[in-house]
Amino acid sequence: MSKVFSGIQPSGDLHLGNYLGAIRNWVADQHVHDAIYCIVDLHALSLDIDPSVLRSRTYETALDLLAAGLDPQACTLFIQSQVPEHPRLTWLLECTATMGELRRMTQFKDKSEGKESVRAGLFTYPILQAADILLYDTDRVPVGNDQRQHVELTRELAIRFNVRYGDTFVVPEAAFPSVGARVMDLQHPTRKMSKSVSSPLGTVLILDPPEEIERKIKKAVTDTDGEVRFDPEAKPGLANLLELLAVATDRAPADVAEAYQRYGDLKRDAGEALVELLRPLRMRRAELASDPGEVTSLLAHGSEKAGAIASVTYQRAADAIGLLGSH
Ligand code: TYM
């Protein structure tokens, strides 16, 4: 069975981009692959976050993921900071990567732009991500499009390490959904829907009540030429709505476009389809919140399972690079 690994930051409420770009694939993969999923709380420290907010969001993210369909019987779900091999392997990989490689990362450029003071952790962020992936001998990394460059860097670091020190890491591949790999902000359709940028009307949260989802879709920015066709370059707002209705109803966006003449009808159907898509998540989320002890013990069990795998891989890397054994 091939091995799947992916991660999510506990830095905000889960939105439609997270769900369609990544989490839906996580749910599908857990039944056919050996799947490990991680809430990356250490990554969240690369930007300013209040300790109590970090603590509660880490827990809330676990609830969201379970509500979205992760099944603890079918996959391993754990918290990054509970497995110390993540920062340990990060150091070995920091001594494998170069400054130039990290400077080229577009996420670093975006998140540091215009800031007077930037945390060093924001710069080395992609290396911690590489450690996450490589610790689990991962074959496949289900992510949205914005993670393409990070997974590419992970591959390069794995290959370089293997060439320098002998075969140590499996070289992973990213897996993107065919539709939904880049869900755009409904109010600013040329930028991606995001947890970190505040755009309440542009972001559909997976736990938004039905009327809120429909309201946001209705108010989505489109264009004035009035023609329904799938053209992400010329008509980004409309293309985004077509993609959303397409994933929700399992069709291709261009086919969806053919069925509509008016923006209003498309928005109405997209809103309704998303409400239906997300309805079971809202219901499960409410059930899960009533049993916090269960979730905490499930996460502890996940960290134990992940830690057992991670320590073997870390030791292999430490041996290969020449650290005196401490088995
Ligand atoms: P994060 O927490 O920003 O997002 C989690 C997942 O959601 C996807 N995503 C989107 N997909 C489509 N459209 C969007 N608008 C959208 N916004 C977010 C992301 O691509 C991601 O798959 N660096 C990662 C977390 C990470 C990780 C890893 C991922 C840490 N270690 C190891 C994979 C493997 C991040 O910040 O994702």
Side-chain angles (χ1 to χ4, degrees), residues 12-167:
D13 296 324
L14 244 65
H15 57 70
L16 209 48
N18 301 131
Y19 183 60
L20 299 178
I23 313 302
R24 242 164 59 120
N25 274 353
W26 298 13
V27 173
D29 278 354
Q30 69 183 341
H31 300 298
V32 280
H33 300 292
D34 196 350
I36 302 183
Y37 301 121
C38 181
I39 299 172
V40 295
D41 53 350
L42 297 175
H43 275 112
L45 297 173
S46 62
L47 295 175
D48 193 21
I49 186 163
D50 183 82
S52 64
V53 171
L54 176 59
R55 208 170 289 124
S56 64
R57 281 196 179 151
T58 301
Y59 177 71
E60 301 281 322
T61 303
L63 289 186
D64 287 354
L65 293 172
L66 295 168
L70 288 193
D71 172 0
Q73 307 294 328
C75 69
T76 301
L77 175 64
F78 77 103
I79 296 179
Q80 186 186 38
S81 62
Q82 294 182 354
V83 178
E85 281 75 15
H86 289 246
R88 291 179 88 192
L89 183 62
T90 299
W91 179 252
L92 305 194
L93 295 175
E94 279 182 12
C95 298
T96 306
T98 66
M99 297 286 284
E101 266 169 337
L102 292 180
R103 267 192 218 107
R104 284 196 289 278
M105 293 292 122
T106 53
Q107 180 183 290
F108 175 71
K109 289 188 211 166
D110 292 347
K111 293 199 173 167
S112 61
E113 204 183 334
K115 294 224 172 94
E116 219 168 83
S117 159
V118 174
R119 297 181 185 193
L122 188 64
F123 189 61
T124 56
Y125 176 115
I127 310 211
L128 177 58
Q129 180 162 350
D132 297 342
I133 297 169
L134 298 180
L135 277 172
Y136 299 94
D137 291 339
T138 305
D139 301 295
R140 173 182 163 90
V141 189
V143 278
N145 236 331
D146 60 346
Q147 299 302 313
R148 187 181 290 273
Q149 205 185 20
H150 287 166
V151 179
E152 196 45 49
L153 176 70
T154 304
R155 289 171 55 82
E156 278 166 26
L157 296 182
I159 292 168
R160 188 174 312 148
F161 194 102
N162 288 348
V163 168
R164 258 187 217 162
Y165 306 113
D167 235 7

